[in-house]
Amino acid sequence: MNTETRRVAVVGANRIPFARSNSTYAHASNQDMLTATLDGLVARCSLQGERLGEVVGGAVLKHPRDRDLTRESVLGSRLAPDTPAYDVQQACGTGLEAVVLVANKIALGQIDAGIACGVDTASDAPISLNDDLREILLDLNRAKSTGARLKALTRIRPGQVVPETPRNEEPRTGLSMGEHTAKMALEWGVTREEQDELAARSHQRLAAAYDRGFFDGLVTPYLGLERDQNLRADSTAEKLSKLTPVFGSRNGDGTMTAGNSTPLSDGASAVLLASEEWAREHGLEALAYVTEAQTAAVDHVHRGEGLLMAPVYAMPRMLDRAGLSLADDFDLYEIHEAFAAQVVCTLKAWADPVFCRERLGRDAPLGEVDADKLNVNGGSLAAGHPFAATGGRIVGGLAKALHERGAGRGVVSICAAGGQGVVAVLEKPES
């Protein structure tokens, strides 16, 4: 067995502009958006008819028809139909996990190139039957006689003919992600001002990145949309301060609004990863290399830990293995902005000596992150957050940002529902 590992390069990325739910992409399915995104990457990297080692992707909100979503999207794309594909799902961490899975196979020499992708639509969310009605219909399907069928039908009551839409709450706590984050914000003393300033900065930086052409090689227009629909270039902390709190306001202490929380969104993203040899053979430049990754989970059910704090635990495990320092060894930081409060809680935890000693078992805090290096081209608060597509958006953007710098190192941190988190390191060596 070959025990040597290969460097894994990010050689291309593509996404469609993210749309607010129930708007531009209201009638586009997961498969529609993912296929379009893959074809945009195919066109950008000249992959027409190419058989890749694997395409790995997923969605959080899936219909039964999405059983083989990634494979069906590949079959609908201009990639070679004999390119294998499979689905993964880890809530908001899906896209980054897909990157890690493809990168690991390339590193081990099992494949030479692959695509990591993700898609989600909150507009076309699956709607389930009432459980009682579903049981009746199943019994109706099993019935062998007309009498048995009629008997099953007589059990239907008007109140059962009500569909069940996906619930935005944690199954084991009954609280929404926003309500969980509001508890985190209260625990860490996160102010409204901190959140609104971070949100405004996200919009301003995303707008500036679009204006200077940063996304020209990363975003393919779709259904008439050319920029992320949630983007508000004129956003300011002062304007955001006028919005009414929507989470955690039962006791008059709410700080989380629609402006400093990500909106429900639709969109897809894809990242092309490859070995250096494959990239050279195909005339593609290495934008950056995926060098490390780590996952973690917290017990938000029994120990009452913050639902979105898992990356806080994943980060030191990864950094220790890589021999890196959070505060000193990174040029760029990408922290997924599920909520502005979540980002601030994460930063406060890494800089807090008591938390780092008691929860992370460290003699000293990880350190403070320079705001000038954080989400320099905007984040999820401005772009939107189609759950499984966020990882690809961040990895593609960070790889290009490092490539523009000519050299450097960046870190990605993504929180996920269920008390989980994924972190990763990208590097661009000096040439």
Side-chain angles (χ1 to χ4, degrees), residues 214-233:
F214 178 78
F215 291 109
D216 290 351
L218 293 173
V219 177
T220 299
Y222 183 61
L223 298 183
L225 200 59
E226 297 184 354
R227 289 191 175 193
D228 301 306
Q229 197 172 35
N230 191 57
L231 174 59
R232 300 290 181 268

Side-chain angles (χ1 to χ4, degrees), residues 40 44 48 61 69 85 106 123 132 142 157 204 215 226 228-229 248 282 301 353 357 369 392 397 415:
R44 183 165 291 134
Q48 295 87 344
L61 300 174
L69 172 62
I106 295 171
S123 302
D132 290 340
R142 299 184 191 106
R157 299 291 181 268
Q204 293 160 7
F215 291 109
E226 297 184 354
D228 301 306
Q229 197 172 35
H282 289 75
V301 180
R357 182 177 66 251
V369 171
C415 59

